[in-house]
């Protein structure tokens, strides 16, 4: 399971003032794992990483908050699963010290009107198909950083763009926080773990591993000498087209730093995609190296 210590009990805090007070008194380093709950093995790996980074004496804080401001106009945040008892159990088992679990009115009081917007990295990929999403992400993450005051925060690389946007926000706003990306955790058939996977029908679930398979095939082709971005992209689109239930949102071959599209690829190139199976939108990515 997790390294280092396992607390005998887990503090669960709902108010900002209490979380602020407890975190001010907590032992450093404080490592934050921001989540929306519905935790699975992927989140467990993030908490394990946080525990390692905090060491036996530091403090691991997991935030569980379904953030309404990051859902798009056609997305319903009330449908998002909220199995808090199971989430709390997972946090305890993996060595978290504190769970910050506010409700929406606590984070967004009546009349809330201030938002944080990153205007370069967030415009393409998921930002293009989910308007306002990254504005909501940046706003809530900055609020969490202000409340918890961590020295380190851990984010999963499954959402490569989110990692890049948060890193840019931290750099641009001079936040004294180290952002640590953690590798994507997968099912045995390659499907990236996601809270959304539970919405897949059995037929959709059978076809969903094609996302990882096509990304691996593209990397193999790149390693074998295919450096043209358009041809790599076209091969992915064609292969995903063989899954009758898949509907592509985007497939992008981009620079790993700027997330801008490239024509010729190198070791800093990433391929990112988002594909619908029914109403369920799955994302994945791979770095060409």
């Amino acid at each position: 399971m997790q390294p280092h210590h396992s607390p005998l009990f887990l503090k669960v805090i709902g108010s900002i003032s209490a979380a602020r007070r407890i975190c001010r008194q907590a032992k450093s380093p404080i490592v934050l794992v921001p989540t929306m709950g519905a935790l699975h093995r992927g989140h467990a790996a993030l908490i394990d990483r946080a525990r390692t980074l905090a060491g036996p004496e530091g403090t691991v804080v997991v935030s569980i908050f379904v953030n309404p401001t990051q859902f798009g106009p056609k997305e319903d945040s009330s449908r998002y699963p909220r199995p808090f008892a199971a989430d709390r159990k997972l946090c305890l088992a993996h060595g978290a010290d504190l769970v910050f679990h506010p409700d929406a009115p606590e984070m967004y009081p009546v009349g809330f009107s201030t938002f944080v917007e990153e205007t370069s990295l967030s415009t393409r990929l998921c930002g293009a198909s989910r308007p306002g999403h990254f504005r909501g992400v940046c706003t809530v993450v900055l609020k969490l950083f202000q409340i918890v005051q961590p020295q380190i925060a851990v984010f999963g690389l499954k959402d490569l763009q989110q990692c890049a946007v948060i890193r840019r926000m931290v750099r641009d706003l001079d936040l004294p926080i180290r952002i640590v990306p953690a590798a994507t955790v997968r099912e045995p058939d390659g499907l990236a773990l996601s809270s959304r996977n539970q919405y897949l029908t059995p037929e959709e679930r059978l076809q969903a591993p094609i996302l990882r398979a096509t990304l691996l095939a593209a990397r193999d082709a790149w390693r074998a000498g295919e450096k043209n971005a358009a041809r790599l992209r076209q091969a992915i689109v064609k292969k995903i087209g063989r899954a009758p239930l898949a509907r592509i949102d985007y497939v992008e071959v981009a620079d790993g730093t700027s997330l801008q599209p490239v024509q010729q690829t190198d070791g800093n190139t990433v391929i990112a995609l988002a594909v619908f199976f029914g109403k369920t939108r799955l994302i994945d990515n791979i770095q060409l190296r």
Side-chain angles (χ1 to χ4, degrees), residues 119-138:
T119 58
S120 175
L121 299 172
S122 62
T123 57
R124 301 184 56 77
L125 309 176
C126 288
S129 52
R130 300 179 73 192
H133 169 71
F134 285 111
R135 184 176 87 142
V137 169
C138 286

Side-chain angles (χ1 to χ4, degrees), residues 3-29:
H4 302 305
H5 83 176
S6 181
L8 298 175
F9 68 96
L10 188 66
K11 286 193 185 85
V12 178
I13 305 295
S15 86
I16 289 171
S17 57
R20 211 188 276 281
R21 188 179 66 248
I22 287 168
C23 289
R24 256 202 309 263
Q25 298 163 352
K27 289 184 177 174
S28 294

Side-chain angles (χ1 to χ4, degrees), residues 190-271:
L191 180 64
L193 287 184
S194 168
S195 307
R196 295 168 186 261
N197 292 352
Q198 61 188 289
Y199 297 129
L200 297 170
T201 66
E203 295 81 6
E204 289 164 356
R205 176 64 188 83
L206 272 174
Q207 292 183 24
I210 195 159
L211 304 187
R212 176 65 170 170
T214 59
L215 289 171
L216 290 172
R219 189 173 67 183
D220 288 345
W222 180 81
R223 287 174 174 172
E226 178 57 86
K227 300 295 187 263
N228 181 279
R231 283 196 292 268
L232 288 169
R233 183 186 177 280
Q234 200 46 48
I236 291 174
V237 169
K238 190 175 174 184
K239 283 192 179 107
I240 292 174
R242 292 179 195 153
L245 298 177
R247 179 168 58 85
I248 291 172
D249 180 2
Y250 67 78
V251 176
E252 294 266 10
V253 185
D255 177 81
T257 308
S258 70
L259 301 187
Q260 290 299 309
V262 296
Q263 292 181 320
Q264 288 298 117
T265 57
D266 60 28
N268 189 42
T269 302
V270 295
I271 304 177

